[in-house]
mmCIF file with all atom_site columns, all heavy atoms in Angstrom:
data_model
loop_
_atom_site.group_PDB
_atom_site.id
_atom_site.type_symbol
_atom_site.label_atom_id
_atom_site.label_alt_id
_atom_site.label_comp_id
_atom_site.label_asym_id
_atom_site.label_entity_id
_atom_site.label_seq_id
_atom_site.pdbx_PDB_ins_code
_atom_site.Cartn_x
_atom_site.Cartn_y
_atom_site.Cartn_z
_atom_site.occupancy
_atom_site.B_iso_or_equiv
_atom_site.pdbx_formal_charge
_atom_site.auth_seq_id
_atom_site.auth_comp_id
_atom_site.auth_asym_id
_atom_site.auth_atom_id
_atom_site.pdbx_PDB_model_num
ATOM   1  N N   . SER A 1 10  ? 4.639  18.991 13.241 1.00 0.00 ? 135 SER A N   1
ATOM   2  C CA  . SER A 1 10  ? 5.911  18.200 13.650 1.00 0.00 ? 135 SER A CA  1
ATOM   3  C C   . SER A 1 10  ? 6.041  16.879 12.989 1.00 0.00 ? 135 SER A C   1
ATOM   4  O O   . SER A 1 10  ? 7.131  16.365 12.836 1.00 0.00 ? 135 SER A O   1
ATOM   5  C CB  . SER A 1 10  ? 5.962  18.085 15.102 1.00 0.00 ? 135 SER A CB  1
ATOM   6  O OG  . SER A 1 10  ? 5.369  16.874 15.545 1.00 0.00 ? 135 SER A OG  1
ATOM   7  N N   . GLY A 1 11  ? 4.967  16.309 12.585 1.00 0.00 ? 136 GLY A N   1
ATOM   8  C CA  . GLY A 1 11  ? 5.066  15.042 11.856 1.00 0.00 ? 136 GLY A CA  1
ATOM   9  C C   . GLY A 1 11  ? 5.190  13.786 12.781 1.00 0.00 ? 136 GLY A C   1
ATOM   10 O O   . GLY A 1 11  ? 5.687  12.744 12.211 1.00 0.00 ? 136 GLY A O   1
ATOM   11 N N   . SER A 1 12  ? 4.870  13.787 13.971 1.00 0.00 ? 137 SER A N   1
ATOM   12 C CA  . SER A 1 12  ? 4.962  12.693 14.908 1.00 0.00 ? 137 SER A CA  1
ATOM   13 C C   . SER A 1 12  ? 4.185  11.495 14.416 1.00 0.00 ? 137 SER A C   1
ATOM   14 O O   . SER A 1 12  ? 4.530  10.430 14.562 1.00 0.00 ? 137 SER A O   1
ATOM   15 C CB  . SER A 1 12  ? 4.831  13.024 16.372 1.00 0.00 ? 137 SER A CB  1
ATOM   16 O OG  . SER A 1 12  ? 3.436  13.329 16.642 1.00 0.00 ? 137 SER A OG  1
ATOM   17 N N   . ASN A 1 13  ? 2.980  11.878 13.909 1.00 0.00 ? 138 ASN A N   1
ATOM   18 C CA  . ASN A 1 13  ? 2.113  10.756 13.338 1.00 0.00 ? 138 ASN A CA  1
ATOM   19 C C   . ASN A 1 13  ? 2.740  10.087 12.165 1.00 0.00 ? 138 ASN A C   1
ATOM   20 O O   . ASN A 1 13  ? 2.626  8.905  11.879 1.00 0.00 ? 138 ASN A O   1
ATOM   21 C CB  . ASN A 1 13  ? 0.754  11.264 13.147 1.00 0.00 ? 138 ASN A CB  1
ATOM   22 C CG  . ASN A 1 13  ? -0.063 11.257 14.510 1.00 0.00 ? 138 ASN A CG  1
ATOM   23 O OD1 . ASN A 1 13  ? -0.458 10.261 14.975 1.00 0.00 ? 138 ASN A OD1 1
ATOM   24 N ND2 . ASN A 1 13  ? -0.257 12.399 14.975 1.00 0.00 ? 138 ASN A ND2 1
ATOM   25 N N   . ILE A 1 109 ? -6.370 11.900 11.459 1.00 0.00 ? 234 ILE A N   1
ATOM   26 C CA  . ILE A 1 109 ? -6.380 11.599 12.855 1.00 0.00 ? 234 ILE A CA  1
ATOM   27 C C   . ILE A 1 109 ? -6.643 12.880 13.627 1.00 0.00 ? 234 ILE A C   1
ATOM   28 O O   . ILE A 1 109 ? -6.132 13.932 13.322 1.00 0.00 ? 234 ILE A O   1
ATOM   29 C CB  . ILE A 1 109 ? -4.938 11.046 13.344 1.00 0.00 ? 234 ILE A CB  1
ATOM   30 C CG1 . ILE A 1 109 ? -4.876 10.749 14.866 1.00 0.00 ? 234 ILE A CG1 1
ATOM   31 C CG2 . ILE A 1 109 ? -3.793 11.913 12.986 1.00 0.00 ? 234 ILE A CG2 1
ATOM   32 C CD1 . ILE A 1 109 ? -4.832 9.345  15.230 1.00 0.00 ? 234 ILE A CD1 1
ATOM   33 N N   . GLU A 1 175 ? -2.462 8.272  19.738 1.00 0.00 ? 300 GLU A N   1
ATOM   34 C CA  . GLU A 1 175 ? -2.492 8.551  18.277 1.00 0.00 ? 300 GLU A CA  1
ATOM   35 C C   . GLU A 1 175 ? -1.446 7.730  17.550 1.00 0.00 ? 300 GLU A C   1
ATOM   36 O O   . GLU A 1 175 ? -1.772 7.024  16.492 1.00 0.00 ? 300 GLU A O   1
ATOM   37 C CB  . GLU A 1 175 ? -2.178 9.978  17.973 1.00 0.00 ? 300 GLU A CB  1
ATOM   38 C CG  . GLU A 1 175 ? -3.220 10.997 18.394 1.00 0.00 ? 300 GLU A CG  1
ATOM   39 C CD  . GLU A 1 175 ? -2.894 12.460 17.952 1.00 0.00 ? 300 GLU A CD  1
ATOM   40 O OE1 . GLU A 1 175 ? -1.881 12.674 17.471 1.00 0.00 ? 300 GLU A OE1 1
ATOM   41 O OE2 . GLU A 1 175 ? -3.788 13.293 18.250 1.00 0.00 ? 300 GLU A OE2 1
HETATM 42 C C1  . GRF B 2 .   ? -2.157 15.605 16.243 1.00 0.00 ? 274 GRF B C1  1
HETATM 43 O O1  . GRF B 2 .   ? -2.557 15.957 17.536 1.00 0.00 ? 274 GRF B O1  1
HETATM 44 C C2  . GRF B 2 .   ? -3.328 15.228 15.345 1.00 0.00 ? 274 GRF B C2  1
HETATM 45 O O2  . GRF B 2 .   ? -4.326 14.545 16.094 1.00 0.00 ? 274 GRF B O2  1
HETATM 46 C C3  . GRF B 2 .   ? -3.824 16.564 14.888 1.00 0.00 ? 274 GRF B C3  1
HETATM 47 O O3  . GRF B 2 .   ? -2.645 17.355 14.715 1.00 0.00 ? 274 GRF B O3  1
HETATM 48 C C4  . GRF B 2 .   ? -1.655 16.858 15.508 1.00 0.00 ? 274 GRF B C4  1
HETATM 49 C C5  . GRF B 2 .   ? -0.417 16.587 14.595 1.00 0.00 ? 274 GRF B C5  1
HETATM 50 O O4  . GRF B 2 .   ? 0.682  16.248 15.291 1.00 0.00 ? 274 GRF B O4  1
HETATM 51 N N1  . GRF B 2 .   ? -4.719 16.427 13.718 1.00 0.00 ? 274 GRF B N1  1
HETATM 52 P P1  . GRF B 2 .   ? 1.975  15.695 14.486 1.00 0.00 ? 274 GRF B P1  1
HETATM 53 O O5  . GRF B 2 .   ? 2.319  16.701 13.507 1.00 0.00 ? 274 GRF B O5  1
HETATM 54 O O6  . GRF B 2 .   ? 1.648  14.290 13.825 1.00 0.00 ? 274 GRF B O6  1
HETATM 55 O O7  . GRF B 2 .   ? 2.988  15.512 15.514 1.00 0.00 ? 274 GRF B O7  1
#
Side-chain angles (χ1 to χ4, degrees):
S135 89
S137 68
N138 279 286
I234 178 116
E300 289 184 356

